């Protein structure tokens, strides 16, 4: 067998190749969602398929296997970072080796193609246009689950890609707890909560000013614009391109005051995680210099969006700035009115416009449908009906069309079945970390001064700098002293919405 | 040996791989020049190096060689398009095989790195910052010339990359003829030409309007915005990304009325060539669906910039539109004054701002310096001095700093030594084609109506649709009945500037 020194040397070359493909595939994904012209997308999707296949070939190559096995056979001598790098690559290759390269390539092309088909389908409110693509996505998801993790329930296999170790058992319990606390509170608010005015939210807010504000918010949370880009896209997202280049998008609506701002800080939370991981003294420069799981990633974005971006202390600082930007539109609005308006808890149709309280119910709908889809117990053609029924049952609203129903989210089109629960897990992780953070940081005082740097530093020290080194479960225990506990989330929500509404 | 049928089949797979790399390398180049944040550029350059190496490996692979040789051994049976595809790939592999892959990869990384170093150096007016990169570029250019074309003068080897068949012999004669006619005319204009006012050119022209006008111009010349993108960058360029995706940039200056407009139509000329080649019934979908040489490419861009964009009939149509856009700034300007102002022939410092008449003298400076550099008879450190001396000698102006001198152009930083003569050749090809076009098209009448479609169709029919199928020399003979003849250019310039100035 190879010597450790030799393995280290060879790993450098292979890692550089993997990083090169990660760069261009990330760039292609970014470009397809922001700039690429419609007539070029088919050829681009084809190219993305080919290049995904090339990356696939490196991951399953005998060269990489030998390197990885050498490191794993020398765990005592290798560093902790090296061992974890090898473990993660080993998992990847064990999984991918079970998938034929041609199928992987075909699937990669499909992911790109179906994303732009979805965009058109959503715009034209035409589910039938998207359905055949979703069927193919589902076919591959089920097939790959069966090939790679034959002993798992196919949905657990999907979940495993986004939040290792979390299965339907944990999620059923989790959503049960959330639902039990949320639904009665939502009902009580509807019945007895105070009336909150939000007429001013839909006034005209010119987009150029909104863009300035979004840039200012990113600066405020510490996102480095020299190592990143902000742009606009249909569906906001964050994309780490390469070291020193983390990009995010937002979406500006002239008649919605807060949509872009909250999207920007949400994506900014993702972006900060990636930027800090890249600069980390622990994992920077290694393959671990990225977010560890989608649940932890969402904990960062949801933290910035909600714990900061929907908090009273933060708006004590930022509302005067916002009023300066829109003096006429906000002339008759007080801080308190504004704060209450961005926290109206009212069941709605659109997940990304949802308040913190009802948000998890939107996720539940998707969670339950994904389970059924992966099990094979419902057909794609029945999705719009089931979607609407569940919205009626959990949220009491019925989508008037599929654009505002089953077609609203990008995830399934990109093959991300099993991703949605990450949002709810993220909320729970965030609430649990938040409770710990408050023990040592004067969170409210810092927000009131607009001094968010110590908060970013806390997250960097506890989360970001580890990149993928610590597993999600390990991370949360190290930070908070206990494993994931939904009580923090439900307590936080109970406390917050009592104050907002009663 | 392989059968032709089999070779055809295998070629499809290899061509798809080559196309995928062309897509991502094009996209990366585009991104580095338009959007990539400064801190990410080093890692991106590294990745570009790796991916160029992967493409290199495909080009020199025994699989591709077998396919290509099979097609070439079956010329009678293969189609004309297939034979030409094979010939061009054969040339490529014969050349690249002589370069070690590691060096090719290192050079590719260097090209990306030195482009962003050049950008900084130009901004900071610091030649010493750029010099070591240019030295490395020069080292590789000379080395690759020697490795790949040992029997050629190293500068002829470079020229061969951009305009096959054109050597210093042709260029010396060409520039001699151009110089002989141009210099006396420039002098006569300076002495006896009428005074032309251009005070209004430097008024304030808000950029958002300029952008609208640029988009309108692209539409007018027939550039398809659904199969392309327009953006802004430091140095305007055109980049074909993939089928259905051709991108170009321009550069807006608030205090220059026509700079962006003329850049836009220049790049639009390149863009149209690529878009038409992609849709061509002759070569569309094949590896030939792109411009055949840089000289022919520049003939298209210079044609749109000058023959249309600096012509009186076109401005008879477009000047009223421009006046509508800037009614105050242009209130006191007549069409004739405007037309003369965009045709002021006066030696200046900056190539891309030069008029048609003195433009070729700017190229001569670069041509002579490139020859000396490649020969090894001057050192990089002496370039600024020599540059300034030649500007003094040919144009009578002395750059006050290197930013407006030797650092003004992007080309050398990207390794494009030998490209500059393409501009002058382009002017000559364009003038020669223009003379032929006028025989069958009412060019002036069409321009006056703003009906540029028949002109685009003529260029498509005679040039664009052939992509790389016909060699540059073949193309010009087929169109005009004779080979490249600088007389068309000198006659055109003489005639035009007589009218403008006397």
């Amino acid at each position: 067998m190879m010597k450790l020194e030799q393995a280290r040397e060879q790993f450098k070359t292979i890692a550089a190749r993997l990083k090169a493909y990660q760069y261009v595939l990330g760039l292609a994904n970014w470009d397809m969602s922001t700039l690429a012209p419609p007539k070029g997308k088919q050829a681009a999707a084809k190219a993305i398929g080919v290049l995904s296949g090339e990356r696939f070939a490196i991951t399953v190559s005998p060269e990489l296997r030998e390197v990885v096995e050498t490191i794993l056979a020398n765990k005592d001598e290798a560093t902790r970072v090296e061992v974890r790098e090898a473990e993660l690559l080993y998992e990847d290759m064990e999984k991918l080796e079970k998938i034929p390269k041609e199928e992987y390539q075909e699937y990669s092309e499909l992911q790109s193609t179906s994303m732009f088909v979805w965009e058109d389908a959503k715009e034209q409110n035409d589910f039938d246009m998207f359905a055949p693509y979703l069927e193919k996505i589902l076919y591959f998801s089920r097939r790959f689950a069966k090939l790679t993790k034959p002993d798992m329930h196919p949905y657990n296999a999907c979940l495993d890609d986004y939040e290792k170790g979390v299965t339907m058992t944990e999620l059923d319990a989790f959503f049960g707890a959330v639902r039990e606390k949320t639904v009665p509170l939502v009902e009580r608010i509807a019945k007895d909560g105070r009336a909150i005015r939000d007429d001013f939210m839909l006034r005209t807010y010119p987009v150029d000013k909104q863009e300035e504000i979004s840039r200012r918010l990113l600066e405020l949370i510490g996102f480095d614009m020299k190592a990143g880009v902000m742009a606009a896209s249909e569906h906001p997202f964050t994309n780490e391109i390469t070291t020193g280049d983390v990009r995010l998008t937002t979406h500006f609506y002239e008649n919605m005051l807060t949509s872009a701002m909250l999207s920007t800080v949400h994506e900014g939370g993702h972006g900060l995680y990636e930027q800090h991981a890249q600069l980390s003294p622990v994992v920077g420069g290694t393959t671990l210099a990225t977010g560890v799981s989608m649940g932890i990633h969402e904990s960062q974005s949801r933290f910035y969006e909600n714990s900061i971006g929907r908090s009273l202390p933060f708006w004590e600082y930022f509302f005067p700035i916002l009023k300066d930007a829109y003096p006429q539109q906000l002339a008759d609005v007080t801080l308190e009115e504004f704060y209450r308006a961005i926290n109206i808890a009212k069941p709605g149709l659109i997940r990304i416009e949802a308040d913190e309280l009802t948000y998890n119910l939107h996720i539940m709908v998707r969670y339950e449908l994904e389970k059924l889809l992966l099990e094979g117990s419902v057909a794609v053609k029945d999705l719009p009906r089931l979607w609407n029924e569940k919205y009626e049952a959990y949220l009491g609203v019925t989508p008037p069309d599929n654009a505002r129903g089953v077609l609203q989210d990008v995830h399934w089109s990109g093959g991300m079945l099993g991703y949605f629960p990450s949002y709810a897990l993220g909320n729970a992780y965030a609430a649990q970390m938040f409770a710990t953070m408050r023990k040592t940081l004067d969170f409210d005082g810092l927000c009131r001064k607009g001094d968010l740097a110590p908060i970013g530093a806390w997250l960097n020290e506890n989360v970001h700098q580890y990149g993928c080194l610590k597993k999600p479960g390990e991370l949360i225990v190290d930070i908070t002293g206990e494993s994931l506990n939904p009580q923090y989330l439900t307590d936080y929500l109970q406390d917050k919405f009592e104050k907002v509404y009663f």
Side-chain angles (χ1 to χ4, degrees), chain A residues 345-362:
Chain A
K346 196 178 154 194
L349 295 168
I350 308 295
R351 177 183 62 82
I352 63 164
E353 304 297 346
D355 57 88
E356 282 181 87
L357 190 59
T358 58
Y359 188 91
N360 298 306
L361 302 177
H362 290 262

Side-chain angles (χ1 to χ4, degrees), chain A residues 386-444:
Chain A
L386 287 169
W387 179 283
N388 293 357
E389 284 171 11
K390 284 192 188 288
Y391 261 77
E392 180 61 51
Y394 300 154
L395 288 134
V397 295
T398 308
D401 53 42
N402 290 326
R404 280 171 283 183
V406 67
L407 283 174
Q408 69 182 264
D409 292 310
V410 66
H411 304 66
W412 291 345
S413 79
M416 293 154 80
L417 286 149
Y419 186 105
F420 282 118
S422 309
Y423 289 108
L425 290 171
N427 288 336
Y429 285 133
Q432 192 165 334
M433 288 182 201
F434 193 26
T436 303
M437 182 193 285
R438 280 183 174 286
K439 290 180 192 162
T440 52
L441 275 193
D442 175 18
F443 179 86
D444 291 356

Side-chain angles (χ1 to χ4, degrees), chain A residues 295-448:
Chain A
I296 299 294
H297 237 303
E298 288 298 334
S299 78
Q300 303 306 293
S301 54
R302 301 285 296 168
F303 176 84
Y304 274 96
E305 179 187 348
N306 293 324
S307 314
I308 294 179
R310 283 190 168 95
S311 76
L312 185 57
F314 176 72
W315 287 103
E316 287 178 36
Y317 170 73
F318 207 76
F319 191 60
I321 296 170
L322 194 64
K323 268 190 124 157
D324 272 354
Y326 297 118
Q328 286 174 319
Q329 294 93 324
L330 295 175
D332 63 341
V333 184
T334 67
L335 167 65
E336 189 153 295
E337 284 173 323
F338 176 79
Y339 169 67
R340 288 218 168 98
I342 59 168
N343 282 299
I344 287 178
K346 196 178 154 194
L349 295 168
I350 308 295
R351 177 183 62 82
I352 63 164
E353 304 297 346
D355 57 88
E356 282 181 87
L357 190 59
T358 58
Y359 188 91
N360 298 306
L361 302 177
H362 290 262
I363 300 303
M364 269 181 59
V365 170
R366 290 153 177 81
Y367 168 62
E368 294 182 7
L369 291 175
E370 285 186 343
K371 281 202 290 190
L372 297 171
L373 282 171
L374 265 299
E375 267 172 26
S377 54
V378 308
V380 163
K381 71 169 172 39
D382 296 323
L383 265 186
R385 183 178 50 79
L386 287 169
W387 179 283
N388 293 357
E389 284 171 11
K390 284 192 188 288
Y391 261 77
E392 180 61 51
Y394 300 154
L395 288 134
V397 295
T398 308
D401 53 42
N402 290 326
R404 280 171 283 183
V406 67
L407 283 174
Q408 69 182 264
D409 292 310
V410 66
H411 304 66
W412 291 345
S413 79
M416 293 154 80
L417 286 149
Y419 186 105
F420 282 118
S422 309
Y423 289 108
L425 290 171
N427 288 336
Y429 285 133
Q432 192 165 334
M433 288 182 201
F434 193 26
T436 303
M437 182 193 285
R438 280 183 174 286
K439 290 180 192 162
T440 52
L441 275 193
D442 175 18
F443 179 86
D444 291 356
L446 291 167
C447 283
R448 263 181 219 116

Side-chain angles (χ1 to χ4, degrees), chain A residues 97-124:
Chain A
E97 264 176 1
K98 303 192 175 86
I99 300 175
K101 184 183 168 198
E102 300 67 41
E103 288 190 35
Y104 185 83
Q105 189 165 324
E106 193 186 337
Y107 178 63
S108 302
E109 183 183 339
L110 173 65
Q111 287 174 296
S112 301
T113 311
S114 77
M115 272 174 81
F116 64 79
V117 172
W118 162 77
E119 243 180 65
D120 285 350
K122 182 180 171 184
E123 202 183 297
Q124 293 166 42

Side-chain angles (χ1 to χ4, degrees), chain A residues 250-295:
Chain A
T250 189
H251 191 122
F252 301 105
Y253 299 91
E254 201 182 39
N255 294 304
M256 294 176 98
L257 172 57
T258 54
S259 173
M261 284 195 284
L262 293 170
S263 283
T264 301
V265 287
H266 176 101
E267 301 305 332
H270 286 306
L272 211 54
Y273 188 3
E274 292 293 329
Q275 286 192 335
H276 283 162
Q278 289 180 352
L279 293 174
S280 159
V282 186
V283 300
T286 75
T287 56
L288 304 182
T290 186
V292 65
S293 75
M294 287 306 127

